[in-house]
Amino acid sequence: MMTDGALSHLTILETGVITAYAGKLFSDHGATVTLVEPPSGSPLRNHPPFLDGAEGPDRSLHFHYMSAGKRSVVLDLDTTEGQRAFRHATASADIVLDDRLQDWWRERGLPYEKLHEANPRLVWCAVTPFGQWGPYSGFRGGDLVSMAMGGMAWLTGYEEGPLVSRGEISLRSAALYSAVATMVTALGRSNSEGGRFIDISVQEVVALGTETAPQFHDLHKVTRRRNPEPQKQAGIGVYPCKDGYVMIYAAEAGLGTGWTRLIEWMTEAGVEQAGKLLTDEWATNEFKQSPAAKAEFERVFCLFAASRLKQHLFVEGQRRRIAISPVNGPDDVLRDPHLLSTGYFRDLDIGTGRSVPCPGAPFRLSATPGRSTGRAPQLGEHSR
Amino acid sequence: MSGGGNLPLAGIRVLDFTWVGAGPFTTKILADFGAEVVKIESRKRPDQLRKAEPLTGSRTIEESGYFANRNVNKKSISIDLKHPDAHGVIMALAKRCDIVINSFSPGVMDRFALDYDDIRTVREDVIYVSMPLAGSSGPYRDFLGYGMNIAAIVGLMQLGALPGRWPVGTGTNFPDHLPNPLHAAFAILTAVASRRRTGKGQNIVLSQIDSTLAMFPDGLLDCAANGRVTAETAHSNPQNAPHGLFPCAGDDRWCAISVTGNAQFATFCRIMGKEGLASNPCFATDEARQENLVELHALVAEWTGAAEAHDVMTELQEAGIAAGVVQTAGDLLDEDPHLRARGFWQYLDHPVMGRSVYHGVPAKISGIASGYRSPAPTLGQHNGELPELTGVDPETIARLHEKQVFQ
């Protein structure tokens, strides 16, 4: 049993902000991850949400979550002293997690090719809105722009227009992809060389999230577009219930599980009009996608669900092997019986003496489970 | 060979029982970087995704664009796991594999006598991966669902809702496309790193609920620490204004715009031809712009409504302001000069589907080719390699073939 984590042999410098979640994954498995922060501190320290909703030093809950277990050194990379210190640090590091164009580093005398010359095993992963080269590489980005340009924004929204979901989906996904690409590259090294430059474009990561839209366009010349109504077909969609919404993915053909069992359940519960939804006419997805079928299913399901709570519909529906789930908010998630019973939440030390429950490990490794991560560093806590 | 010669994961072989969503995407990522992935299905029970739209030609199980996209670079073995003689072949395959992965509900692999302990009898250092919806224990252990169900459970779908309206989420099965396959790939690579140092394999369980939730902590932290549910807001980012998707000329065309700080706002107003706004007390500061966001956004929409989305983007970007067209799939494939220059989309010739498009690899690693090596396999396409993959002699394989093992 390795108690120090499977990745305790890796030394990582984190100069990026977008890459925070990648650094966290490495850190949680034992890597030494050091934030290289400017004298003013990483912008991540100003990322909402904040303790008591008030901005201030060490009050960003987001920063605490992403940085727990990491170290912090302050280097002013605009000074020759800072540049020298950075060059020295990269000489013995395995990985740099960054989010800038190489031009920025070149201006400071720290381009990858130079650092790689001094340390042939150095892996440098740069996550930028559009990647290091190409006609848009100099464009400004951010979650909103990346979701738009990568094609995910187009796929959702209401009748009146597309929408970008909250959650910084593009940035978090790009960080996660960068963690994988960095691990792949680190594993591909020999004892003396093999460091490589990894160029990750957030736009391209978002494009991976466009599901079948490119294939529909390519094969059928059909442009998949946001569904302006809650149902995709009768039995697949978002439906209201007593205390909110449930998401149902019930079908018999193609993707979806439990259509017949759902109708039988409603019939059992005394919704008489449910029975006819099992007639031959309802057997095809084509019919279920018709406006009349959708309206009829919604009407019948609402009769059934109006008096039922989303958690009840979830647990009982799942017992009946129906792909149904509650549309939860964070308050629901925090009291979810499954997550509580499996011990999922961790206590996050935010330095105030009281801890805050936060998401736990995304996966469980039997021999190298990783570590409970401690707390986030104060600015420059590990500067010499 | 489906394994990639000089790629970083060359020499790693994966026995892949995953179906449909996150699992096949996980093994695709490993294949992208050189692992040899051997996909197990049968004619009786092919991957459900083989029947998913978009389908070409005769709509057979070899014609799904959805399936093809997720199974590029892999080998396919068709074998009826329920046949009494199948187990020996699978174990012989497993013996020569580094990684064994499935996405079944808990208990299924056990019923096939293929769980972690079974595989370890032939491959002591195996890295064994299960990725069920809710993990291997707890009240939801046997629950089932698709990506959208997972997004709903963890609170992600609710993040895509405007106040008082039904949650639209991402409109896709997002957890299947990025959070779960990427976490699974990272877990596997971590175990590979560990095995290199210790010589030991291990058992990985990825609950798709746990894994998706870990990426989206903000609402949870706000609620847990401050006892409040973050307000639902329209496209809002408290640090930027204007910030949102704005309607442009044409049918349902939009452009994302996000302006930071007073200096940028002044530039933005000049480009709109509304210089006066920058000094108007209603909009002159970050706080004022947040306060009067609805009026501000209406003024911006007035300007964008008369212009092409692409022109709005380039004009603003030239001035250093973040902006981007809300691109359709058609834009991504046919119009975007940047994706074209970077060669993101890949087109491969498939023996049944013909030439079709595949999502590319969003990481360009110096000195490493990111071109796909082979299109999605037809069912059982690599059965001829069974002697080499299993170490079982060709005569025995032929005899098993006659007994209908390789359906």
mmCIF file of all heavy atoms in Angstrom, chain A residues 21 52 62 65 130 140 158 160 187 196 199 211 218 257 311 318 321 336 344 367, chain B residues 140 142 144 146 165-166 173 183 196 202 210 214 218 226 317 338 357 364 366:
data_model
loop_
_atom_site.group_PDB
_atom_site.id
_atom_site.type_symbol
_atom_site.label_atom_id
_atom_site.label_comp_id
_atom_site.label_asym_id
_atom_site.label_seq_id
_atom_site.Cartn_x
_atom_site.Cartn_y
_atom_site.Cartn_z
ATOM 1 N N TYR A 21 -8.208 22.731 -11.819
ATOM 2 C CA TYR A 21 -8.780 21.414 -11.502
ATOM 3 C C TYR A 21 -7.821 20.285 -11.893
ATOM 4 O O TYR A 21 -7.776 19.245 -11.233
ATOM 5 C CB TYR A 21 -10.140 21.243 -12.203
ATOM 6 C CG TYR A 21 -10.851 19.996 -11.741
ATOM 7 C CD1 TYR A 21 -11.373 19.901 -10.448
ATOM 8 C CD2 TYR A 21 -10.979 18.892 -12.578
ATOM 9 C CE1 TYR A 21 -11.997 18.751 -10.008
ATOM 10 C CE2 TYR A 21 -11.613 17.736 -12.136
ATOM 11 C CZ TYR A 21 -12.123 17.672 -10.854
ATOM 12 O OH TYR A 21 -12.735 16.518 -10.415
ATOM 13 N N ASP A 52 -19.481 33.809 3.275
ATOM 14 C CA ASP A 52 -20.478 34.836 3.615
ATOM 15 C C ASP A 52 -20.760 35.789 2.448
ATOM 16 O O ASP A 52 -21.234 36.905 2.655
ATOM 17 C CB ASP A 52 -20.030 35.667 4.841
ATOM 18 C CG ASP A 52 -19.775 34.795 6.054
ATOM 19 O OD1 ASP A 52 -20.532 33.813 6.230
ATOM 20 O OD2 ASP A 52 -18.820 35.067 6.802
ATOM 21 N N HIS A 62 -14.142 28.647 -3.844
ATOM 22 C CA HIS A 62 -13.681 27.990 -5.069
ATOM 23 C C HIS A 62 -12.165 27.767 -4.999
ATOM 24 O O HIS A 62 -11.672 26.677 -5.282
ATOM 25 C CB HIS A 62 -14.048 28.867 -6.274
ATOM 26 C CG HIS A 62 -13.662 28.289 -7.596
ATOM 27 N ND1 HIS A 62 -14.490 27.458 -8.316
ATOM 28 C CD2 HIS A 62 -12.526 28.417 -8.331
ATOM 29 C CE1 HIS A 62 -13.874 27.109 -9.439
ATOM 30 N NE2 HIS A 62 -12.688 27.678 -9.474
ATOM 31 N N TYR A 65 -11.265 25.016 -2.570
ATOM 32 C CA TYR A 65 -11.540 23.669 -3.103
ATOM 33 C C TYR A 65 -10.475 23.247 -4.110
ATOM 34 O O TYR A 65 -9.944 22.142 -4.065
ATOM 35 C CB TYR A 65 -12.920 23.652 -3.766
ATOM 36 C CG TYR A 65 -13.275 22.326 -4.400
ATOM 37 C CD1 TYR A 65 -13.607 21.229 -3.617
ATOM 38 C CD2 TYR A 65 -13.282 22.164 -5.792
ATOM 39 C CE1 TYR A 65 -13.937 20.003 -4.191
ATOM 40 C CE2 TYR A 65 -13.612 20.950 -6.371
ATOM 41 C CZ TYR A 65 -13.938 19.875 -5.573
ATOM 42 O OH TYR A 65 -14.261 18.669 -6.142
ATOM 43 N N PHE A 130 -8.074 29.248 -27.689
ATOM 44 C CA PHE A 130 -8.087 28.737 -29.057
ATOM 45 C C PHE A 130 -6.802 27.994 -29.432
ATOM 46 O O PHE A 130 -6.560 27.739 -30.610
ATOM 47 C CB PHE A 130 -8.345 29.888 -30.038
ATOM 48 C CG PHE A 130 -9.703 30.516 -29.876
ATOM 49 C CD1 PHE A 130 -9.880 31.629 -29.061
ATOM 50 C CD2 PHE A 130 -10.812 29.967 -30.497
ATOM 51 C CE1 PHE A 130 -11.135 32.200 -28.893
ATOM 52 C CE2 PHE A 130 -12.071 30.523 -30.331
ATOM 53 C CZ PHE A 130 -12.239 31.647 -29.528
ATOM 54 N N ARG A 140 -9.498 36.703 -27.647
ATOM 55 C CA ARG A 140 -9.814 36.598 -26.220
ATOM 56 C C ARG A 140 -10.876 35.528 -26.013
ATOM 57 O O ARG A 140 -11.749 35.339 -26.866
ATOM 58 C CB ARG A 140 -10.352 37.932 -25.688
ATOM 59 C CG ARG A 140 -9.401 39.108 -25.840
ATOM 60 C CD ARG A 140 -8.210 38.952 -24.906
ATOM 61 N NE ARG A 140 -7.279 40.072 -25.088
ATOM 62 C CZ ARG A 140 -7.259 41.146 -24.287
ATOM 63 N NH1 ARG A 140 -8.095 41.241 -23.274
ATOM 64 N NH2 ARG A 140 -6.386 42.114 -24.501
ATOM 65 N N TYR A 158 -33.829 28.305 -24.721
ATOM 66 C CA TYR A 158 -35.289 28.355 -24.811
ATOM 67 C C TYR A 158 -35.669 28.806 -26.213
ATOM 68 O O TYR A 158 -34.805 29.141 -27.032
ATOM 69 C CB TYR A 158 -35.829 29.330 -23.764
ATOM 70 C CG TYR A 158 -35.516 28.902 -22.337
ATOM 71 C CD1 TYR A 158 -34.402 29.406 -21.671
ATOM 72 C CD2 TYR A 158 -36.333 27.990 -21.671
ATOM 73 C CE1 TYR A 158 -34.113 29.019 -20.371
ATOM 74 C CE2 TYR A 158 -36.058 27.600 -20.369
ATOM 75 C CZ TYR A 158 -34.946 28.115 -19.728
ATOM 76 O OH TYR A 158 -34.658 27.722 -18.447
ATOM 77 N N GLU A 160 -36.658 31.526 -27.313
ATOM 78 C CA GLU A 160 -36.200 32.860 -27.732
ATOM 79 C C GLU A 160 -34.703 32.927 -28.028
ATOM 80 O O GLU A 160 -34.249 33.891 -28.641
ATOM 81 C CB GLU A 160 -36.568 33.910 -26.673
ATOM 82 C CG GLU A 160 -35.803 33.805 -25.359
ATOM 83 C CD GLU A 160 -36.514 32.969 -24.297
ATOM 84 O OE1 GLU A 160 -37.363 32.121 -24.674
ATOM 85 O OE2 GLU A 160 -36.227 33.149 -23.102
ATOM 86 N N LEU A 187 3.738 9.812 -18.755
ATOM 87 C CA LEU A 187 3.984 8.367 -18.784
ATOM 88 C C LEU A 187 4.848 7.954 -19.968
ATOM 89 O O LEU A 187 5.541 6.939 -19.912
ATOM 90 C CB LEU A 187 2.653 7.609 -18.861
ATOM 91 C CG LEU A 187 1.856 7.490 -17.572
ATOM 92 C CD1 LEU A 187 0.458 6.956 -17.858
ATOM 93 C CD2 LEU A 187 2.575 6.579 -16.584
ATOM 94 N N ARG A 196 7.444 17.023 -23.490
ATOM 95 C CA ARG A 196 6.811 17.544 -24.704
ATOM 96 C C ARG A 196 5.932 18.736 -24.372
ATOM 97 O O ARG A 196 5.523 18.915 -23.221
ATOM 98 C CB ARG A 196 5.940 16.469 -25.369
ATOM 99 C CG ARG A 196 6.716 15.281 -25.864
ATOM 100 C CD ARG A 196 5.787 14.219 -26.433
ATOM 101 N NE ARG A 196 6.510 12.984 -26.717
ATOM 102 C CZ ARG A 196 7.213 12.757 -27.825
ATOM 103 N NH1 ARG A 196 7.272 13.699 -28.753
ATOM 104 N NH2 ARG A 196 7.848 11.623 -28.021
ATOM 105 N N ASP A 199 -0.494 21.442 -26.430
ATOM 106 C CA ASP A 199 -1.286 22.623 -26.809
ATOM 107 C C ASP A 199 -2.764 22.235 -26.770
ATOM 108 O O ASP A 199 -3.221 21.453 -27.603
ATOM 109 C CB ASP A 199 -0.839 23.040 -28.219
ATOM 110 C CG ASP A 199 -1.744 24.099 -28.842
ATOM 111 O OD1 ASP A 199 -2.505 24.756 -28.115
ATOM 112 O OD2 ASP A 199 -1.674 24.251 -30.085
ATOM 113 N N GLU A 211 -21.893 16.216 -28.876
ATOM 114 C CA GLU A 211 -22.637 14.971 -29.045
ATOM 115 C C GLU A 211 -22.649 14.555 -30.511
ATOM 116 O O GLU A 211 -21.605 14.437 -31.117
ATOM 117 C CB GLU A 211 -24.050 15.130 -28.482
ATOM 118 C CG GLU A 211 -24.651 13.850 -27.928
ATOM 119 C CD GLU A 211 -25.848 14.144 -27.047
ATOM 120 O OE1 GLU A 211 -26.863 14.617 -27.580
ATOM 121 O OE2 GLU A 211 -25.768 13.896 -25.841
ATOM 122 N N ASP A 218 -22.950 16.106 -41.023
ATOM 123 C CA ASP A 218 -22.126 15.466 -42.044
ATOM 124 C C ASP A 218 -22.911 14.401 -42.817
ATOM 125 O O ASP A 218 -22.858 14.352 -44.035
ATOM 126 C CB ASP A 218 -20.901 14.836 -41.364
ATOM 127 C CG ASP A 218 -20.000 14.090 -42.336
ATOM 128 O OD1 ASP A 218 -19.646 14.674 -43.371
ATOM 129 O OD2 ASP A 218 -19.666 12.916 -42.057
ATOM 130 N N THR A 257 -34.703 3.704 -21.242
ATOM 131 C CA THR A 257 -35.036 2.483 -20.516
ATOM 132 C C THR A 257 -36.304 2.661 -19.692
ATOM 133 O O THR A 257 -36.389 3.598 -18.901
ATOM 134 C CB THR A 257 -33.883 2.096 -19.551
ATOM 135 O OG1 THR A 257 -32.668 2.049 -20.295
ATOM 136 C CG2 THR A 257 -34.118 0.739 -18.912
ATOM 137 N N GLN A 311 -37.948 13.145 -5.239
ATOM 138 C CA GLN A 311 -37.117 12.081 -4.664
ATOM 139 C C GLN A 311 -37.893 10.760 -4.617
ATOM 140 O O GLN A 311 -37.334 9.692 -4.856
ATOM 141 C CB GLN A 311 -36.634 12.492 -3.262
ATOM 142 C CG GLN A 311 -35.670 11.512 -2.599
ATOM 143 C CD GLN A 311 -34.313 11.408 -3.296
ATOM 144 O OE1 GLN A 311 -33.951 12.255 -4.116
ATOM 145 N NE2 GLN A 311 -33.560 10.353 -2.980
ATOM 146 N N GLN A 318 -36.765 4.082 -10.053
ATOM 147 C CA GLN A 318 -35.539 3.296 -10.243
ATOM 148 C C GLN A 318 -35.735 1.858 -9.772
ATOM 149 O O GLN A 318 -35.202 0.934 -10.369
ATOM 150 C CB GLN A 318 -34.376 3.949 -9.487
ATOM 151 C CG GLN A 318 -33.852 5.225 -10.135
ATOM 152 C CD GLN A 318 -32.990 4.965 -11.360
ATOM 153 O OE1 GLN A 318 -32.589 3.841 -11.629
ATOM 154 N NE2 GLN A 318 -32.722 6.012 -12.126
ATOM 155 N N ARG A 321 -36.842 -0.020 -12.478
ATOM 156 C CA ARG A 321 -35.913 -0.012 -13.618
ATOM 157 C C ARG A 321 -36.320 0.987 -14.699
ATOM 158 O O ARG A 321 -36.320 0.684 -15.899
ATOM 159 C CB ARG A 321 -35.756 -1.424 -14.238
ATOM 160 C CG ARG A 321 -35.470 -2.525 -13.262
ATOM 161 C CD ARG A 321 -34.161 -2.361 -12.530
ATOM 162 N NE ARG A 321 -32.972 -2.530 -13.368
ATOM 163 C CZ ARG A 321 -31.776 -2.059 -13.033
ATOM 164 N NH1 ARG A 321 -31.609 -1.390 -11.906
ATOM 165 N NH2 ARG A 321 -30.745 -2.267 -13.815
ATOM 166 N N ASP A 336 -28.450 14.439 -0.051
ATOM 167 C CA ASP A 336 -28.772 13.218 -0.798
ATOM 168 C C ASP A 336 -28.394 11.972 0.013
ATOM 169 O O ASP A 336 -27.250 11.830 0.459
ATOM 170 C CB ASP A 336 -28.012 13.207 -2.129
ATOM 171 C CG ASP A 336 -28.350 11.975 -2.945
ATOM 172 O OD1 ASP A 336 -29.320 12.033 -3.709
ATOM 173 O OD2 ASP A 336 -27.669 10.950 -2.782
ATOM 174 N N TYR A 344 -19.405 10.325 0.658
ATOM 175 C CA TYR A 344 -18.795 11.027 -0.474
ATOM 176 C C TYR A 344 -18.175 12.367 -0.086
ATOM 177 O O TYR A 344 -17.061 12.695 -0.497
ATOM 178 C CB TYR A 344 -19.844 11.240 -1.577
ATOM 179 C CG TYR A 344 -19.331 12.063 -2.741
ATOM 180 C CD1 TYR A 344 -18.315 11.574 -3.551
ATOM 181 C CD2 TYR A 344 -19.856 13.314 -3.021
ATOM 182 C CE1 TYR A 344 -17.842 12.320 -4.625
ATOM 183 C CE2 TYR A 344 -19.394 14.067 -4.102
ATOM 184 C CZ TYR A 344 -18.382 13.572 -4.895
ATOM 185 O OH TYR A 344 -17.922 14.302 -5.947
ATOM 186 N N ALA A 367 -5.838 0.538 -4.271
ATOM 187 C CA ALA A 367 -4.517 0.468 -3.646
ATOM 188 C C ALA A 367 -3.928 1.849 -3.364
ATOM 189 O O ALA A 367 -3.172 2.036 -2.419
ATOM 190 C CB ALA A 367 -3.552 -0.331 -4.523
ATOM 191 N N TYR B 140 -28.222 3.888 -4.055
ATOM 192 C CA TYR B 140 -28.494 3.979 -5.503
ATOM 193 C C TYR B 140 -27.657 2.973 -6.305
ATOM 194 O O TYR B 140 -27.576 3.075 -7.525
ATOM 195 C CB TYR B 140 -28.180 5.388 -6.038
ATOM 196 C CG TYR B 140 -28.921 6.540 -5.394
ATOM 197 C CD1 TYR B 140 -28.523 7.858 -5.641
ATOM 198 C CD2 TYR B 140 -30.007 6.332 -4.547
ATOM 199 C CE1 TYR B 140 -29.181 8.932 -5.064
ATOM 200 C CE2 TYR B 140 -30.668 7.412 -3.951
ATOM 201 C CZ TYR B 140 -30.250 8.703 -4.205
ATOM 202 O OH TYR B 140 -30.894 9.770 -3.635
ATOM 203 N N ASP B 142 -27.861 0.146 -7.604
ATOM 204 C CA ASP B 142 -28.376 -0.527 -8.792
ATOM 205 C C ASP B 142 -29.144 0.406 -9.724
ATOM 206 O O ASP B 142 -29.798 -0.049 -10.658
ATOM 207 C CB ASP B 142 -29.281 -1.695 -8.365
ATOM 208 C CG ASP B 142 -28.504 -2.724 -7.553
ATOM 209 O OD1 ASP B 142 -27.349 -3.022 -7.937
ATOM 210 O OD2 ASP B 142 -29.025 -3.213 -6.542
ATOM 211 N N LEU B 144 -30.058 3.156 -12.650
ATOM 212 C CA LEU B 144 -29.590 3.268 -14.027
ATOM 213 C C LEU B 144 -29.952 4.645 -14.573
ATOM 214 O O LEU B 144 -30.814 5.339 -14.028
ATOM 215 C CB LEU B 144 -30.222 2.166 -14.883
ATOM 216 C CG LEU B 144 -31.753 2.027 -14.833
ATOM 217 C CD1 LEU B 144 -32.403 2.903 -15.888
ATOM 218 C CD2 LEU B 144 -32.167 0.585 -15.045
ATOM 219 N N TYR B 146 -28.955 7.745 -18.021
ATOM 220 C CA TYR B 146 -28.111 8.258 -19.102
ATOM 221 C C TYR B 146 -27.449 9.556 -18.628
ATOM 222 O O TYR B 146 -27.684 10.012 -17.506
ATOM 223 C CB TYR B 146 -28.967 8.471 -20.355
ATOM 224 C CG TYR B 146 -29.540 7.165 -20.840
ATOM 225 C CD1 TYR B 146 -30.711 6.652 -20.278
ATOM 226 C CD2 TYR B 146 -28.881 6.405 -21.798
ATOM 227 C CE1 TYR B 146 -31.222 5.416 -20.690
ATOM 228 C CE2 TYR B 146 -29.384 5.186 -22.210
ATOM 229 C CZ TYR B 146 -30.554 4.696 -21.662
ATOM 230 O OH TYR B 146 -31.038 3.477 -22.063
ATOM 231 N N ARG B 165 -38.230 29.028 -14.772
ATOM 232 C CA ARG B 165 -38.507 28.254 -15.987
ATOM 233 C C ARG B 165 -37.901 26.863 -15.891
ATOM 234 O O ARG B 165 -37.053 26.596 -15.047
ATOM 235 C CB ARG B 165 -37.965 29.006 -17.203
ATOM 236 C CG ARG B 165 -38.621 30.373 -17.323
ATOM 237 C CD ARG B 165 -38.121 31.154 -18.489
ATOM 238 N NE ARG B 165 -38.550 30.570 -19.762
ATOM 239 C CZ ARG B 165 -38.242 31.119 -20.943
ATOM 240 N NH1 ARG B 165 -37.519 32.211 -20.994
ATOM 241 N NH2 ARG B 165 -38.647 30.557 -22.065
ATOM 242 N N TRP B 166 -38.341 25.976 -16.762
ATOM 243 C CA TRP B 166 -37.830 24.597 -16.717
ATOM 244 C C TRP B 166 -36.335 24.584 -17.031
ATOM 245 O O TRP B 166 -35.850 25.412 -17.805
ATOM 246 C CB TRP B 166 -38.623 23.699 -17.666
ATOM 247 C CG TRP B 166 -38.531 24.063 -19.113
ATOM 248 C CD1 TRP B 166 -39.211 25.056 -19.755
ATOM 249 C CD2 TRP B 166 -37.701 23.448 -20.109
ATOM 250 N NE1 TRP B 166 -38.864 25.103 -21.078
ATOM 251 C CE2 TRP B 166 -37.946 24.120 -21.336
ATOM 252 C CE3 TRP B 166 -36.793 22.382 -20.088
ATOM 253 C CZ2 TRP B 166 -37.300 23.768 -22.515
ATOM 254 C CZ3 TRP B 166 -36.147 22.042 -21.264
ATOM 255 C CH2 TRP B 166 -36.397 22.723 -22.460
ATOM 256 N N ASN B 173 -26.162 14.862 -23.388
ATOM 257 C CA ASN B 173 -25.780 13.964 -22.292
ATOM 258 C C ASN B 173 -24.356 14.287 -21.841
ATOM 259 O O ASN B 173 -23.485 13.415 -21.782
ATOM 260 C CB ASN B 173 -25.889 12.510 -22.752
ATOM 261 C CG ASN B 173 -27.332 12.068 -22.885
ATOM 262 O OD1 ASN B 173 -28.064 12.000 -21.895
ATOM 263 N ND2 ASN B 173 -27.761 11.795 -24.099
ATOM 264 N N HIS B 183 -12.371 11.637 -16.338
ATOM 265 C CA HIS B 183 -11.998 11.190 -14.991
ATOM 266 C C HIS B 183 -11.570 9.718 -15.013
ATOM 267 O O HIS B 183 -10.596 9.340 -14.361
ATOM 268 C CB HIS B 183 -13.171 11.362 -14.023
ATOM 269 C CG HIS B 183 -13.269 12.725 -13.414
ATOM 270 N ND1 HIS B 183 -14.381 13.528 -13.541
ATOM 271 C CD2 HIS B 183 -12.396 13.441 -12.649
ATOM 272 C CE1 HIS B 183 -14.184 14.670 -12.888
ATOM 273 N NE2 HIS B 183 -12.994 14.642 -12.344
ATOM 274 N N ARG B 196 3.769 0.961 -12.510
ATOM 275 C CA ARG B 196 5.172 1.054 -12.932
ATOM 276 C C ARG B 196 6.105 1.137 -11.732
ATOM 277 O O ARG B 196 7.237 0.674 -11.778
ATOM 278 C CB ARG B 196 5.382 2.287 -13.806
ATOM 279 C CG ARG B 196 4.872 2.061 -15.188
ATOM 280 C CD ARG B 196 5.550 2.994 -16.153
ATOM 281 N NE ARG B 196 4.876 2.912 -17.427
ATOM 282 C CZ ARG B 196 4.910 3.850 -18.345
ATOM 283 N NH1 ARG B 196 5.610 4.954 -18.120
ATOM 284 N NH2 ARG B 196 4.282 3.705 -19.479
ATOM 285 N N GLN B 202 -4.619 -2.625 -9.573
ATOM 286 C CA GLN B 202 -5.638 -2.318 -8.580
ATOM 287 C C GLN B 202 -7.021 -2.247 -9.192
ATOM 288 O O GLN B 202 -7.203 -2.378 -10.396
ATOM 289 C CB GLN B 202 -5.307 -1.056 -7.802
ATOM 290 C CG GLN B 202 -5.024 0.193 -8.645
ATOM 291 C CD GLN B 202 -4.653 1.376 -7.758
ATOM 292 O OE1 GLN B 202 -5.285 1.598 -6.731
ATOM 293 N NE2 GLN B 202 -3.638 2.141 -8.157
ATOM 294 N N ASP B 210 -20.471 10.655 -8.560
ATOM 295 C CA ASP B 210 -19.337 11.246 -7.837
ATOM 296 C C ASP B 210 -18.440 12.042 -8.777
ATOM 297 O O ASP B 210 -17.982 13.144 -8.458
ATOM 298 C CB ASP B 210 -18.477 10.148 -7.195
ATOM 299 C CG ASP B 210 -19.195 9.407 -6.073
ATOM 300 O OD1 ASP B 210 -20.380 9.721 -5.811
ATOM 301 O OD2 ASP B 210 -18.584 8.508 -5.474
ATOM 302 N N ALA B 214 -17.756 16.226 -8.780
ATOM 303 C CA ALA B 214 -16.470 16.759 -8.321
ATOM 304 C C ALA B 214 -16.007 17.968 -9.135
ATOM 305 O O ALA B 214 -15.257 18.807 -8.649
ATOM 306 C CB ALA B 214 -15.407 15.658 -8.377
ATOM 307 N N ASP B 218 -19.107 24.716 -7.062
ATOM 308 C CA ASP B 218 -19.391 26.079 -6.593
ATOM 309 C C ASP B 218 -20.752 26.243 -5.910
ATOM 310 O O ASP B 218 -20.847 26.835 -4.837
ATOM 311 C CB ASP B 218 -19.249 27.082 -7.750
ATOM 312 C CG ASP B 218 -17.804 27.267 -8.167
ATOM 313 O OD1 ASP B 218 -16.916 26.714 -7.485
ATOM 314 O OD2 ASP B 218 -17.555 27.941 -9.174
ATOM 315 N N ASN B 226 -22.620 29.066 3.186
ATOM 316 C CA ASN B 226 -23.389 30.292 3.386
ATOM 317 C C ASN B 226 -24.886 30.052 3.544
ATOM 318 O O ASN B 226 -25.654 30.998 3.702
ATOM 319 C CB ASN B 226 -23.150 31.253 2.211
ATOM 320 C CG ASN B 226 -21.677 31.594 2.053
ATOM 321 O OD1 ASN B 226 -20.960 31.705 3.047
ATOM 322 N ND2 ASN B 226 -21.224 31.723 0.816
ATOM 323 N N GLN B 317 -12.984 41.433 -31.393
ATOM 324 C CA GLN B 317 -11.713 40.756 -31.097
ATOM 325 C C GLN B 317 -10.524 41.604 -31.541
ATOM 326 O O GLN B 317 -9.497 41.625 -30.868
ATOM 327 C CB GLN B 317 -11.671 39.379 -31.770
ATOM 328 C CG GLN B 317 -12.548 38.315 -31.083
ATOM 329 C CD GLN B 317 -11.951 37.766 -29.792
ATOM 330 O OE1 GLN B 317 -10.882 38.188 -29.332
ATOM 331 N NE2 GLN B 317 -12.644 36.816 -29.173
ATOM 332 N N HIS B 338 -10.386 28.574 -38.264
ATOM 333 C CA HIS B 338 -9.420 28.227 -37.222
ATOM 334 C C HIS B 338 -9.381 26.705 -37.000
ATOM 335 O O HIS B 338 -8.306 26.104 -36.997
ATOM 336 C CB HIS B 338 -9.802 28.964 -35.936
ATOM 337 C CG HIS B 338 -8.835 28.767 -34.825
ATOM 338 N ND1 HIS B 338 -7.579 29.329 -34.811
ATOM 339 C CD2 HIS B 338 -8.922 28.057 -33.678
ATOM 340 C CE1 HIS B 338 -6.949 28.978 -33.706
ATOM 341 N NE2 HIS B 338 -7.737 28.205 -33.001
ATOM 342 N N VAL B 357 -17.379 12.019 -40.695
ATOM 343 C CA VAL B 357 -16.595 12.890 -39.828
ATOM 344 C C VAL B 357 -16.492 12.337 -38.411
ATOM 345 O O VAL B 357 -17.437 11.732 -37.892
ATOM 346 C CB VAL B 357 -17.192 14.319 -39.802
ATOM 347 C CG1 VAL B 357 -18.473 14.394 -38.975
ATOM 348 C CG2 VAL B 357 -16.165 15.328 -39.274
ATOM 349 N N LYS B 364 -2.772 18.928 -28.921
ATOM 350 C CA LYS B 364 -1.689 18.738 -29.878
ATOM 351 C C LYS B 364 -0.407 18.588 -29.065
ATOM 352 O O LYS B 364 0.014 19.524 -28.392
ATOM 353 C CB LYS B 364 -1.588 19.918 -30.831
ATOM 354 C CG LYS B 364 -2.910 20.185 -31.561
ATOM 355 C CD LYS B 364 -2.694 20.498 -33.017
ATOM 356 C CE LYS B 364 -3.994 20.629 -33.783
ATOM 357 N NZ LYS B 364 -4.763 19.386 -33.904
ATOM 358 N N SER B 366 3.605 17.880 -28.982
ATOM 359 C CA SER B 366 4.723 18.005 -29.931
ATOM 360 C C SER B 366 5.346 16.638 -30.212
ATOM 361 O O SER B 366 5.617 15.859 -29.299
ATOM 362 C CB SER B 366 5.781 18.967 -29.370
ATOM 363 O OG SER B 366 6.238 18.519 -28.111
#
